[in-house]
């Protein structure tokens, strides 16, 4: 019974945080949820192809192409010829600014939610979330998908990213 309650609390908290983060990121970037994720992904990995970008943000190739069309129409991204028949997607200067706004908007509700915790609780939650993320990596199996809206710098400067470590432990990248 206690585990059911804990799972229910985790589910409710996860959904509330997701709702707050997505509301902020989509408003800040003036894009859809997948568009917000695409801005972050492209800021970290410029030059991805449409298909790979779609995979990372959870879209089919055709849906990703439409999303990139929208980003391009908004002046946030552009397509460029890559090697062979490949086409790369890169952010424009306006897209880079939007990606920064999206990351800032993502962080605000997270900081607000964590403000209720004292230092010891924050340290304990950091350890717990690291374990949960490592377990979630086992299920999802792809750090690029799991961390599509992450501020990767804050997770890797002075610390080991639990998702990256789980990927290395699994023999990935």
């Amino acid at each position: 019974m206690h585990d059911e309650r804990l799972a229910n609390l985790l589910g409710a908290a996860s959904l509330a945080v997701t709702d707050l983060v997505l509301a902020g990121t989509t408003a800040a970037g003036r894009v859809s949820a997948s568009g917000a994720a695409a801005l972050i992904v492209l800021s970290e990995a410029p030059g991805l192809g449409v298909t790979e970008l779609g995979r990372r943000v959870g879209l089919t190739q055709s849906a990703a192409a439409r999303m990139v069309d929208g980003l391009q129409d908004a002046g946030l991204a552009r397509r460029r010829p890559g090697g062979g028949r490949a086409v790369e997607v890169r952010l424009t200067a306006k897209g880079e600014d939007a990606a920064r706004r999206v990351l800032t908007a993502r962080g605000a509700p997270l900081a607000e939610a964590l403000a209720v915790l004292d230092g010891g609780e924050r340290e304990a939650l950091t350890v717990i979330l690291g374990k949960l993320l490592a377990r979630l990596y086992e299920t999802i199996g792809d750090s690029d998908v799991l961390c599509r809206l992450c501020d990767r710098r804050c997770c890797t400067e002075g610390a080991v990213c639990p998702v990256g470590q789980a990927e290395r432990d699994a023999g990935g990248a």
Side-chain angles (χ1 to χ4, degrees):
M1 182 66 130
H2 182 44
D3 283 348
E4 289 174 10
R5 181 171 189 272
L6 178 60
N8 194 53
L9 292 172
L10 176 61
S14 298
L15 187 57
V17 168
T18 297
D19 289 347
L20 292 170
V21 166
L22 289 180
T25 58
T26 57
R30 297 183 190 99
V31 293
S32 65
S34 57
L39 291 172
I40 300 307
V41 168
L42 288 170
S43 72
E44 291 292 327
L48 290 178
V50 173
T51 301
E52 176 60 14
L53 178 60
R55 185 192 71 74
R56 291 187 187 193
V57 301
L59 298 176
T60 64
Q61 195 281 334
S62 59
R66 288 190 301 274
M67 178 197 59
V68 171
D69 288 343
L71 293 175
Q72 194 164 296
D73 291 347
L76 301 172
R78 67 181 183 283
R79 289 180 172 95
R80 292 180 37 181
R85 295 182 358 186
V87 175
E88 297 179 343
V89 181
R90 294 190 177 270
L91 294 180
T92 62
K94 183 178 175 183
E96 291 286 349
D97 288 341
R100 282 189 287 278
R101 286 193 314 273
V102 165
L103 274 179
T104 299
R106 174 194 172 271
L110 298 174
E112 178 67 25
L114 293 171
V116 70
L117 303 177
D118 66 31
E121 291 168 327
R122 286 173 186 235
E123 287 180 30
L125 185 57
T126 299
V127 172
I128 292 166
L129 289 174
K131 287 182 179 181
L132 286 174
L133 285 166
R135 177 71 172 119
L136 290 168
Y137 175 81
E138 291 175 15
T139 302
I140 294 170
D142 190 329
S143 64
D144 291 327
V145 171
L146 189 58
C147 298
R148 67 187 176 274
L149 267 176
C150 283
D151 182 347
R152 291 179 185 239
R153 284 174 291 279
C154 76
C155 199
T156 57
E157 289 180 2
V160 175
C161 172
V163 175
Q165 186 60 54
E167 186 171 60
R168 287 186 292 280
D169 292 346

